[in-house]
Amino acid sequence: MHLFYTADLKPEQSLFQLSEEESKHAVRVLRLNVGDQVQLIDGVGGFYEAEIADAHPKRTQLRILNYTPDFQKPDYHLHIAVAPTKNIDRIEWFLEKATEIGIQEITPIISEHSERKEVKTERLNKVIVSAMKQSLKAYMPLLNEAIGIDAFLNKIESEKDLNKAIAHCEEDAEKKYLNQEFEKGQRYLVLIGPEGDFSPAEIEKAISAEFIPVSLGEARLRTETAALYACTEIALLNR
């Protein structure tokens, strides 16, 4: 299967031209020719079957054969707000695996103990696109710009019907597991802190904003592992 991400493809189109980069990949690398069939995803639920009408290395033309809307549409919405790791490779790893498993939204949050204060989303979005194609997902997770935790808490305060949880390492708090607190088919938001964890003040602010303290198990997990653990728990809950 040859799968291409085509964000600007619309359902009503009968013909579509691949970008120069994708055209080169199709013709020079994959050696595709006129009549060969390919699949396309638009990132908003559209799955297309197409065939090559003109195999040009700079402007390959496709003829759309079939369109499927809402392809494998998830019946829940998972938003993970995670502090970006000092080593950006680790957050890239999380984004790749979370996209494959199933996640709808990610927000990098900057907290008091964050070692990384800036995040370049352009490269991270390329990781997401690659993982989306690898796992045959038609929906592209939304990667928001990095934001301070206080501003983030204020921003989501007005959101309704949102199940909110914060995973932290403070030992004196009563915590339950995500699958004990949440039900299937809901909207979820999970906060994951930096390598040095959230500060006590940040934890208190989150709890005041109706975030439920949750446990991710007995082991002390790396930031990216904790975020993926939460993603997996929610995915299993919604099977």
Side-chain angles (χ1 to χ4, degrees):
M1 176 183 291
H2 301 297
L3 185 66
F4 296 89
Y5 171 56
T6 52
D8 49 351
L9 176 57
K10 304 301 179 186
E12 62 271 14
Q13 290 181 245
S14 59
L15 293 174
F16 182 77
Q17 180 175 299
L18 291 177
S19 66
E20 183 172 343
E21 180 181 359
E22 291 280 45
S23 294
K24 182 178 180 180
H25 182 70
V27 176
R28 300 294 192 207
V29 179
L30 299 178
R31 304 286 185 182
L32 298 178
N33 214 324
V34 173
D36 287 338
Q37 294 199 359
V38 297
Q39 288 75 39
L40 313 170
I41 50 176
D42 59 12
V44 290
F47 179 83
Y48 303 76
E49 296 175 2
E51 68 176 8
I52 296 181
D54 180 17
H56 193 286
K58 290 188 177 181
R59 48 182 183 277
T60 293
Q61 291 281 344
L62 303 178
R63 182 177 295 107
I64 307 301
L65 304 176
N66 188 45
Y67 164 64
T68 303
D70 301 328
F71 182 73
Q72 296 183 358
K73 183 178 181 178
D75 56 3
Y76 67 96
H77 184 96
L78 173 59
H79 181 180
I80 289 189
V82 55
T85 53
K86 181 178 180 180
N87 184 340
I88 198 64
D89 290 348
R90 295 189 181 278
I91 208 68
E92 289 178 4
W93 174 85
F94 161 68
L95 290 173
E96 177 184 77
K97 303 309 176 187
T99 300
E100 292 175 7
I101 292 171
I103 191 172
Q104 288 71 49
E105 188 172 359
I106 309 101
T107 299
I109 52 170
I110 309 303
S111 70
E112 183 179 334
H113 297 155
S114 293
E115 294 190 66
R116 176 178 288 276
K117 304 294 185 181
E118 295 181 354
V119 177
K120 296 181 179 179
T121 56
E122 182 178 357
R123 173 175 170 78
L124 297 183
N125 271 313
K126 289 181 179 179
V127 172
I128 290 174
V129 168
S130 179
M132 184 176 60
K133 292 165 65 176
Q134 169 66 32
S135 54
L136 195 58
K137 304 280 188 186
Y139 288 90
M140 181 173 174
L142 172 63
L143 176 62
N144 298 312
E145 294 293 332
I147 185 174
I149 186 170
D150 288 348
F152 179 75
L153 292 175
N154 291 333
K155 182 179 179 181
I156 56 91
E157 185 177 9
S158 61
E159 292 196 29
K160 306 298 183 183
D161 301 321
L162 186 61
N163 296 274
K164 299 179 287 188
I166 178 172
H168 63 81
C169 300
E170 292 289 319
E171 297 180 356
D172 59 347
E174 292 187 13
K175 305 174 189 176
K176 293 184 179 181
Y177 293 100
L178 284 169
N179 59 8
Q180 294 175 319
E181 291 291 346
F182 294 162
E183 296 181 357
K184 184 177 181 179
Q186 304 293 316
R187 296 177 65 242
Y188 317 98
L189 170 58
V190 183
L191 282 178
I192 305 291
E195 286 90 335
D197 201 9
F198 292 113
S199 70
E202 290 170 339
I203 295 171
E204 186 60 37
K205 287 178 183 177
I207 293 174
S208 296
E210 300 183 339
F211 280 78
I212 300 169
V214 294
S215 171
L216 301 181
E218 299 301 321
R220 186 175 288 264
L221 304 177
R222 290 181 181 271
T223 294
E224 72 279 6
T225 310
L228 188 63
Y229 185 106
C231 182
T232 304
E233 281 283 291
I234 297 298
L236 289 174
L237 176 64
N238 284 276
R239 283 195 308 180

